[in-house]
Amino acid sequence: GQQVMQIPQYQHVQEGEDFTTYCNSSTTLSNIQWYKQRPGGHPVFLIQLVKSGEVKKQKRLTFQFGEAKKNSSLHITATQTTDVGTYFCAGPHSDSSYKLIFGSGTRLLVRP
Amino acid sequence: SQTIHQWPATLVQPVGSPLSLECTVEGTSNPNLYWYRQAAGRGLQLLFYSVGIGQISSEVPQNLSASRPQDRQFILSSKKLLLSDSGFYLCAWSKGISGQPQHFGDGTRLSIL
């Protein structure tokens, strides 16, 4: 069945270092979405990418959608303690596009 | 703007007791609605979703059920809770179009004793 994998599972960085998480789908996706879940909180939608090769930025966060629309990355420049949380990628499910298939998430810890 | 309300925030229930969690959405019509469960430190497991009143799709066989009695109301129920039902339950909505981003409620932390 369809799978969405994220690596790494965990990343522990020093504040100010950069961070990247990668998302790989077994199938082509019509779009890719990224969510952030703070410890103890709920997932919050960050951004949606639709076009092949698309790059979007939100302040220190850079999101990329691969040319084949099967992979994506989230890069954070100069991490801050406020970046702590788990980052999930998600895409429309091949069974029904009304539901999403989520990656397993990358948990980011930042040492102050 | 759209808002989603989910309650209660925490719940402690004995094994074998019933469950009813409610979720309501405001500021939109005909949303898609979702129930997820998340174990501690784990990913999101889709339990049910609904694209319209009375339409429920079940994703995982279990002793839980869902209902959508009104357009913007989604209810998660169980007749008899199991220890394995413990977890963080999240309700979410999206626009009634396929592939749309989902917006989550604050969640309910359910502990079964």
Side-chain angles (χ1 to χ4, degrees):
Chain A
Q2 184 186 18
Q3 293 184 25
V4 175
M5 309 294 290
Q6 270 186 266
I7 55 171
Q9 187 177 3
Y10 299 98
Q11 186 86 54
H12 202 171
V13 301
Q14 185 71 41
E15 187 173 22
E17 292 180 340
D18 292 356
F19 159 78
T20 304
T21 174
Y22 300 91
C23 176
N24 293 287
S25 171
S26 59
T27 61
T28 300
L29 300 170
S30 60
N31 70 72
I32 190 84
Q33 301 165 24
W34 285 92
Y35 295 77
K36 176 183 178 181
Q37 185 176 22
R38 294 180 185 271
H42 59 276
V44 174
F45 169 69
L46 296 177
I47 205 163
Q48 180 180 24
L49 304 171
V50 178
K51 299 177 183 178
S52 170
E54 188 171 12
V55 178
K56 286 189 176 180
K57 291 189 175 184
Q58 288 182 348
K59 298 183 181 179
R60 296 176 294 102
L61 278 60
T62 301
F63 305 84
Q64 290 187 319
F65 199 10
E67 294 290 340
K69 302 184 76 173
K70 296 181 68 175
N71 57 73
S72 180
S73 65
L74 158 58
H75 179 82
I76 302 178
T77 302
T79 55
Q80 300 176 358
T81 55
T82 53
D83 296 324
V84 166
T86 301
Y87 294 85
F88 294 98
C89 64
H93 203 291
S94 57
D95 289 349
S96 167
S97 56
Y98 288 106
K99 60 182 183 180
L100 298 176
I101 179 167
F102 281 82
S104 51
T106 295
R107 185 177 177 188
L108 173 63
L109 303 172
V110 180
R111 288 189 296 269
Chain B
S1 64
Q2 302 90 357
T3 56
I4 179 168
H5 302 279
Q6 188 182 343
W7 65 93
T10 59
L11 189 60
V12 180
Q13 293 285 98
V15 170
S17 64
L19 173 73
S20 180
L21 300 180
E22 187 167 341
C23 171
T24 59
V25 180
E26 295 178 356
T28 187
S29 58
N30 303 315
N32 297 329
L33 297 172
Y34 306 85
W35 278 111
Y36 289 87
R37 179 169 59 201
Q38 186 177 37
R42 304 296 292 275
L44 299 164
Q45 180 187 32
L46 179 62
L47 301 175
F48 302 95
Y49 71 99
S50 172
V51 300
I53 297 174
Q55 300 179 57
I56 308 294
S57 296
S58 176
E59 293 296 296
V60 182
Q62 58 213 325
N63 70 322
L64 300 172
S65 62
S67 62
R68 184 172 178 173
Q70 299 180 41
D71 181 45
R72 290 168 292 174
Q73 183 185 29
F74 206 21
I75 298 172
L76 182 69
S77 303
S78 174
K79 293 182 178 178
K80 285 187 177 182
L81 286 167
L82 307 173
L83 285 174
S84 58
D85 291 324
S86 292
F88 189 38
Y89 288 82
L90 291 154
C91 181
W93 75 272
S94 69
K95 292 183 179 179
I97 308 171
S98 62
Q100 293 299 297
Q102 295 179 9
H103 306 278
F104 290 80
D106 291 340
T108 296
R109 297 197 182 279
L110 175 63
S111 297
I112 311 299
L113 302 179

